[in-house]
Amino acid sequence: MADYPIISDVSSYIVRTLREKMCPEPIPSPNNIEISSPASQDVDYLVGVYLYDIREEMEVSSPRYVQRGKAEISRPPRPYALYYMVFINGSGQMGLKDPDMQKIVGKIAQIVNDNNSVRPNELQSWLETQEPPIVLSQAKISLEEKVRVWQAINKPYQLSLFYKAGPVYLSSAEVVNTPRVTDASFEIGITGEERG
């Protein structure tokens, strides 16, 4: 199962995909798309990807224990959902007008729709197991909830996109040694013979 950098890897995947598909049109440079909070000051980028919440997905099932080698098991991985806000940087708009911002938001939505899943072993190449894909979908939240996300960082609401990425399975670092079989006994019996 994926190791702890998987959360950062998902964020990097979103940014990398946006950079590949949005540059040079409508965004002039890949450096104009960053992982950042809207609360960050003195930053010079156009599009920010902000991870604002992480929730355990209680309704998603996971295996009880994971086999690691011949004599070790680890606790089961926990499935999480990552919640992102993709926004236009208000302090670095570089003279963008409303129609320009709407084009950028439209392009972001199109790219996420077309690239809405990634397999964990694409993000962490050392993974030996095939895990279910991490799916990006529009977060089912109301306008009031979106406004509250902006208020939490003391910023006025701006047009932005909200996405959920999941399930993201986070492995346990705790390994349990299982006892080796040191003694085994077998009995052979014959059943079903007729006695004369």
Side-chain angles (χ1 to χ4, degrees):
M1 291 287 158
D3 204 1
Y4 70 91
I6 192 67
I7 292 172
S8 172
D9 292 340
V10 172
S11 301
S12 296
Y13 166 77
I14 296 169
V15 168
R16 184 171 62 249
T17 304
L18 292 177
R19 285 176 172 176
E20 287 171 5
K21 309 283 184 181
M22 292 190 79
C23 303
E25 179 62 37
I27 302 292
S29 166
N31 295 332
N32 293 134
I33 303 171
E34 294 288 338
I35 296 172
S36 183
S37 162
S40 299
Q41 302 294 322
D42 301 322
V43 288
D44 191 22
Y45 60 88
L46 290 174
V47 174
V49 176
Y50 175 49
L51 176 63
Y52 69 91
D53 196 10
I54 301 171
R55 297 181 198 164
E56 189 171 355
E57 297 248 88
M58 301 303 286
E59 67 277 1
V60 176
S61 63
S62 59
R64 289 180 90 49
Y65 285 94
V66 176
Q67 188 74 35
R68 289 187 172 187
K70 292 182 178 178
E72 292 180 335
I73 57 172
S74 65
R75 289 178 176 247
R78 296 289 184 113
Y80 289 90
L82 312 179
Y83 289 85
Y84 289 95
M85 177 172 70
V86 184
F87 63 96
I88 309 295
N89 180 18
S91 61
Q93 290 175 7
M94 300 182 200
L96 287 178
K97 297 181 178 169
D98 284 345
D100 298 322
M101 289 192 286
Q102 290 174 17
K103 284 179 188 172
I104 291 169
V105 167
K107 186 65 174 174
I108 292 166
Q110 182 183 59
I111 291 167
V112 173
N113 289 341
D114 291 344
N115 302 272
N116 64 352
S117 70
V118 62
R119 291 206 167 269
N121 60 348
E122 293 175 51
L123 304 177
Q124 297 186 347
S125 58
W126 64 85
L127 289 177
E128 296 175 1
T129 58
Q130 282 293 328
E131 297 181 31
I134 298 166
V135 177
L136 251 68
S137 58
Q138 192 155 18
K140 305 284 192 271
I141 60 174
S142 66
L143 180 59
E144 290 78 18
E145 290 171 297
K146 293 176 182 181
V147 169
R148 281 201 295 272
V149 173
W150 283 96
Q151 288 174 339
I153 50 176
N154 296 317
K155 292 282 185 180
Y157 174 80
Q158 297 177 35
L159 182 62
S160 43
L161 295 165
F162 288 77
Y163 292 103
K164 171 187 172 184
V168 176
Y169 285 95
L170 187 59
S171 64
S172 171
E174 190 172 310
V175 176
V176 178
N177 287 320
T178 56
R180 292 184 174 217
V181 176
T182 56
D183 186 23
S185 63
F186 301 93
E187 291 183 16
I188 298 176
I190 300 174
T191 59
E193 283 188 4
E194 288 186 24
R195 298 187 178 229

